[in-house]
Amino acid sequence: MTDHVHDLVAVREATERLLEAAGKLDDGAVAEPSRLPGWSRGHVLAHLSRNADALINVLQGRPMYANSETRDADIERDAPRPLAEHLADLRESGAAVLAAAEAPADWSRTVTMRNGVTDSASRIPFRRWVEVELHHVDLGVGYELEDLPEEFVIRENDFLAERFAGHPDVVPTTAVTADGRLWTTGGGADGTPVTVRGTAPDILGWLCGRRDGSALTVEGGSLPALPPL
């Protein structure tokens, strides 16, 4: 089972890195576009705060979001706030989700995420870690995929490869790094198996939709187009 205690420490450290980086911005920079289409940096920060609230709901047995419309409306409402309000909200909500996750609980239980997706409660801290790390990159403030902790990159590649395994639109695919790390995914679509080679961060960028895969080399065909997360 996933070590949720270890992951909670990683979440706390990642949140501190994010808060330190965001604290160097100003109100004008928060209003500028992030790397996510249609979202400003304020949208990214607002999403992170509301995601913390949503994960508390999951841990405590409530629906993650009331509905998708409410989720989107809350982000739009909070996105234009001044930097100081974003930082205070992110600090408070981040501490609250950590506190909720530190309460005694059955970590082997199954919980329900957004859109009816289920998972082990023990993986909720890792899911929060993913949100904080990848959206830190999305802010476009100098924190890149190559700056992510190596453990995080390997585990997120594991998670995403598993997510796309057997997908009906993806041919059998093997991703390999120069040091021999390997991930297999896809396999639900007819076609010649392909091998994708590159660094672990570049493979992550392709798997999570943050990079176009141009830094990867592909053998056996073209780089598979992955469905959105």
Side-chain angles (χ1 to χ4, degrees):
M1 187 169 66
T2 302
D3 184 351
H4 68 278
V5 175
H6 167 83
D7 289 348
L8 287 172
V9 173
V11 171
R12 184 175 288 104
E13 292 172 349
T15 301
E16 287 304 315
R17 286 194 296 272
L18 173 65
L19 285 166
E20 181 179 1
K24 297 175 182 177
L25 302 174
D26 56 29
D27 290 346
V30 169
E32 292 173 353
S34 73
R35 291 178 175 176
L36 294 178
W39 270 18
S40 68
R41 292 191 178 105
H43 284 88
V44 174
L45 294 173
H47 165 64
L48 280 167
S49 294
R50 302 289 70 79
N51 171 262
D53 297 343
L55 291 179
I56 292 172
N57 288 337
V58 171
L59 288 169
Q60 297 180 348
R62 298 185 295 273
M64 187 170 183
Y65 296 101
N67 51 60
S68 59
E69 291 77 13
T70 298
R71 170 188 176 273
D72 295 344
D74 287 348
I75 293 171
E76 290 295 334
R77 177 199 66 209
D78 293 344
R81 297 179 301 181
L83 174 64
E85 291 185 26
H86 277 297
L87 293 176
D89 190 10
L90 185 57
R91 187 175 290 107
E92 181 178 342
S93 61
V97 72
L98 287 172
E102 288 167 352
D106 174 13
W107 287 98
S108 66
R109 73 191 188 279
T110 298
V111 295
T112 302
M113 309 296 295
R114 188 181 176 203
N115 298 326
V117 173
T118 59
D119 203 351
S120 169
S122 64
R123 195 141 67 166
I124 297 303
F126 180 70
R127 284 180 174 270
R128 177 60 179 174
W129 191 11
V130 171
E131 292 287 330
V132 174
E133 292 285 21
L134 292 186
H135 286 313
H136 190 166
V137 173
D138 293 334
L139 287 176
V141 291
Y143 190 69
E144 304 297 341
L145 296 178
E146 287 75 14
D147 298 314
L148 296 168
E150 181 181 14
E151 177 200 353
F152 172 82
V153 173
I154 300 307
R155 288 179 59 190
E156 179 64 352
N157 282 350
D158 291 344
F159 178 79
L160 293 173
E162 177 185 343
R163 178 167 181 165
F164 295 128
H167 195 283
D169 297 330
V170 183
V171 299
T173 304
T174 301
V176 186
T177 62
D179 61 359
R181 292 192 179 276
L182 181 149
W183 295 272
T184 58
T185 193
D190 293 332
T192 303
V194 299
T195 299
V196 177
R197 299 186 184 275
T199 67
D202 276 326
I203 291 171
L204 173 59
W206 167 60
L207 287 172
C208 72
R210 263 68 178 184
R211 291 184 180 171
D212 62 9
S214 58
L216 303 170
T217 60
V218 187
E219 302 166 4
S222 58
L223 185 69
L226 299 175
L229 295 175

